[in-house]
Amino acid sequence: MKQIALLSLAGAILAACATPAESPAPEAPAAMPEAPAPKVAPGGFDYESVFGQDDRPEQDYELYPVRKSAEVLSFAGVMPGMTIVEMEAGDGFYTELLSRVAGPDGKVYMQNPPSFKNFLGDSVSKRVDGRLLNVQIVESAFDNLSNVPDADADIVTWFLGPHELWYTPQDEPEGVLGDPDMTFDEIARVLKPGGHLVVLDHMAPAGSPPTTGGDTHRIDKAIIVALAEDHGLTLVDESGILANPDDDGTVQVFDPSVRRKTDRFLLKFAK
């Protein structure tokens, strides 16, 4: 939920004089902004094709540019025919897109903890039932992906969620959402050899304790990298498309001053 400040250059003008002047030294080339992430996968899939107007919730269309959804899909490398495990899918904002990319020959496991029912209401059933036919709804803690066979997934996604491992919903016992080590054991189990875990989350300052996840709903990305690597996954790519240097990482993500504008990291791990 990131804006990159643009640099501007001011050139100096030298006054002419009566005697010939030496040629001024050439200016250093201007720093170029980072090129936008591609919206077409290396395999040629055009992610813009899954954003057409239809019967999905109207608010999705408002959030696509804010979340840079086409660029995120391209970074993830989702392709037709893939099997995808979507951790903490919420109301299905990304499920909609993953389902349409995967197509009739693919499959999406849409996972949410049972505790999320209280605020999700019927949004999941409205999104999926009779619409997204390649989606299987999974209600389980993060550390229990028993609905997914071993080495079944080409990609596991976890968007804006790993910090929840240190969050306890109201009136629930501590750890109800899942144990961090067991969760990454499960992620590694369901991934195919060569498959990818793609993680997107709100950045906390470097060195922040894991419990920040339950306080400001942010996490130090080093914690996620360490967990993934400890469970046999290798960091292979990172994107700054959702970075925001104006967010210092200390304000709770729901605060109006940073909501949908937080500094976010986007990582890809390979099994």
Side-chain angles (χ1 to χ4, degrees):
M1 308 152 208
K2 299 192 179 72
Q3 302 170 347
I4 304 176
L6 298 178
L7 300 176
S8 59
L9 296 175
I13 302 175
L14 297 177
C17 56
T19 56
E22 293 182 359
S23 299
E27 294 183 359
M32 298 298 292
E34 183 179 344
K39 298 182 182 180
V40 178
F45 186 83
D46 180 7
Y47 292 107
E48 295 287 7
S49 66
V50 299
F51 292 91
Q53 190 80 33
D54 55 30
D55 62 340
R56 73 191 74 177
E58 188 65 31
Q59 67 177 4
D60 284 12
Y61 295 97
E62 299 171 6
L63 292 176
Y64 290 146
V66 175
R67 296 185 175 182
K68 298 188 178 180
S69 300
E71 293 91 336
V72 170
L73 291 175
S74 180
F75 175 83
V78 185
M79 294 292 286
M82 281 187 169
T83 295
I84 303 152
V85 175
E86 184 187 13
M87 305 280 289
E88 196 172 345
D91 68 358
F93 172 86
Y94 266 108
T95 311
E96 183 89 34
L97 301 174
L98 296 171
S99 169
R100 292 173 184 276
V101 176
D105 295 326
K107 183 173 186 176
V108 179
Y109 292 94
M110 181 189 189
Q111 184 270 341
N112 277 309
S115 303
F116 283 22
K117 277 185 175 180
N118 292 334
F119 65 85
L120 289 175
D122 62 356
S123 61
V124 170
S125 59
K126 283 184 176 180
R127 171 86 70 176
V128 176
D129 293 352
R131 295 185 68 255
L132 306 180
L133 303 183
N134 60 354
V135 172
Q136 178 178 329
I137 296 172
V138 175
E139 291 186 352
S140 69
F142 300 134
D143 58 6
N144 177 14
L145 301 177
S146 56
N147 293 65
V148 185
D150 293 355
D152 191 43
D154 297 283
I155 293 178
V156 175
T157 65
W158 201 347
F159 297 152
L160 301 179
H163 67 266
E164 304 281 17
L165 286 166
W166 294 273
Y167 170 69
T168 302
Q170 187 175 6
D171 301 324
E172 297 275 7
E174 185 175 351
V176 67
L177 297 184
D179 173 80
D181 280 305
M182 292 175 63
T183 295
F184 277 81
D185 274 340
E186 280 289 81
I187 290 171
R189 177 186 67 78
V190 303
L191 274 173
K192 296 176 180 178
H196 292 103
L197 165 65
V198 181
V199 173
L200 168 64
D201 214 341
H202 307 280
M203 188 85 78
S208 299
T211 51
T212 304
D215 299 330
T216 62
H217 293 269
R218 299 172 180 265
I219 195 73
D220 178 2
K221 73 176 180 180
I223 294 170
I224 302 305
V225 172
L227 270 169
E229 292 182 342
D230 286 348
H231 292 83
L233 306 177
T234 303
L235 181 64
V236 293
D237 203 359
E238 181 172 0
S239 172
I241 59 172
L242 290 166
N244 180 8
D246 293 331
D247 172 27
D248 68 6
T250 62
V251 180
Q252 194 193 58
V253 301
F254 303 112
D255 188 287
S257 66
V258 295
R259 185 164 172 76
R260 307 202 192 288
K261 298 180 291 186
T262 56
D263 188 21
R264 284 157 282 176
F265 60 85
L266 181 57
L267 309 173
K268 180 187 285 188
F269 301 89
K271 178 178 176 179

